[in-house]
């Protein structure tokens, strides 16, 4: 019986590790409903809808982990930033403000972004660790960066830094 309990606990621990962000979002949505915060509720529902859309987009349903959920939310922020620019150019202040508020709500669930200096330092340390020396090592280096720093740095900028450090620019 003790082994069975420990086994279930291990399964629960595994579930907890992969569902932390999803559960946080759902718990916060319930809290926002009780507090009657309509914008927060609708934004959290949009996050859940985007997660579900990603999970069901392939041939078979897959369950997203925290890293994939962060990716979904980063794309949502980018979409809202683009809409914000359009609304500001069109003089639609009320719609622009709504986009700003949604961005703020979504970003609260994202990991803190590294500054350019922190990112460059992390990239440099990783290159030394991987013993990467030439541009041929760029793919391996970028894969390791994405694995370790998913959601924490802009990989477009990171790619340019990696290329420069590996002698390609």
């Amino acid at each position: 019986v003790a082994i069975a309990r420990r086994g279930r606990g291990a399964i629960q621990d595994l579930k907890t590790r992969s569902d932390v962000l999803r559960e946080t979002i759902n718990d916060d949505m319930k809290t926002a409903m009780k507090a009657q915060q309509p914008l927060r509720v609708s934004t959290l529902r949009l996050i859940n809808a985007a997660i579900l859309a990603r999970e069901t987009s392939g041939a078979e349903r897959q369950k997203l982990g925290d890293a994939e959920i962060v990716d979904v939310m980063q794309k949502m922020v980018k979409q809202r930033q683009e809409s914000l620019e359009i609304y500001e150019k069109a003089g639609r202040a009320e719609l622009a403000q709504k986009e700003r508020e949604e961005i703020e709500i979504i970003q609260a669930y994202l990991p803190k972004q590294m500054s350019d200096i922190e990112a460059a330092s992390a990239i440099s340390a990783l290159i030394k660790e991987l013993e990467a020396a030439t541009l041929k090592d760029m793919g391996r280096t970028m894969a390791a960066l994405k694995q370790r720093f998913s959601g924490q740095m802009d990989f477009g900028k990171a790619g340019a830094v990696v290329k420069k450090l590996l002698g390609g620019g």
Side-chain angles (χ1 to χ4, degrees), residues 17-169:
R17 275 188 239 123
S18 67
D19 291 339
V20 173
L21 193 52
R22 183 187 311 258
E23 286 181 21
T24 302
I25 291 167
N26 288 328
D27 290 346
D28 288 354
M29 185 166 52
K30 291 172 193 168
T31 303
M33 286 175 174
K34 290 176 185 171
Q36 296 182 353
Q37 299 171 320
L39 181 64
R40 186 170 194 80
V41 170
S42 69
T43 303
L44 294 174
R45 282 186 174 149
L46 286 171
I47 292 171
N48 277 333
I51 292 168
L52 182 64
R54 173 79 72 84
E55 286 179 336
T56 58
S57 66
E60 59 184 66
R61 185 176 173 143
Q62 62 186 31
K63 189 152 177 79
L64 299 183
D66 283 355
E68 292 95 354
I69 292 172
V70 165
D71 184 51
V72 168
M73 289 192 297
Q74 285 175 327
K75 287 182 178 155
M76 292 177 73
V77 168
K78 278 185 182 174
Q79 290 169 341
R80 276 150 188 76
Q81 287 170 336
E82 290 168 5
S83 297
L84 175 62
E85 288 177 31
I86 292 168
Y87 291 144
E88 285 177 340
K89 286 178 185 171
R92 301 291 308 265
E94 72 285 348
L95 291 174
Q97 182 58 33
K98 183 178 185 245
E99 294 296 327
R100 271 190 215 96
E101 291 169 0
E102 285 184 2
I103 289 169
E104 195 175 303
I105 291 168
I106 296 167
Q107 283 181 331
Y109 296 95
L110 294 174
K112 182 184 169 287
Q113 291 287 306
M114 290 182 166
S115 70
D116 290 345
I117 295 169
E118 291 171 324
S121 174
I123 291 167
S124 180
L126 184 67
I127 287 173
K128 285 178 186 165
E129 180 184 324
L130 294 176
E131 297 177 1
T134 67
L135 279 178
K136 290 180 181 177
D137 300 316
M138 185 161 177
R140 184 170 58 105
T141 304
M142 289 303 294
L145 275 176
K146 287 179 181 177
Q147 184 179 9
R148 288 192 194 172
F149 301 107
S150 178
Q152 297 177 36
M153 68 172 65
D154 180 339
F155 290 108
K157 290 179 183 176
V161 173
V162 169
K163 192 173 186 177
K164 181 180 164 198
L165 291 173
L166 293 178

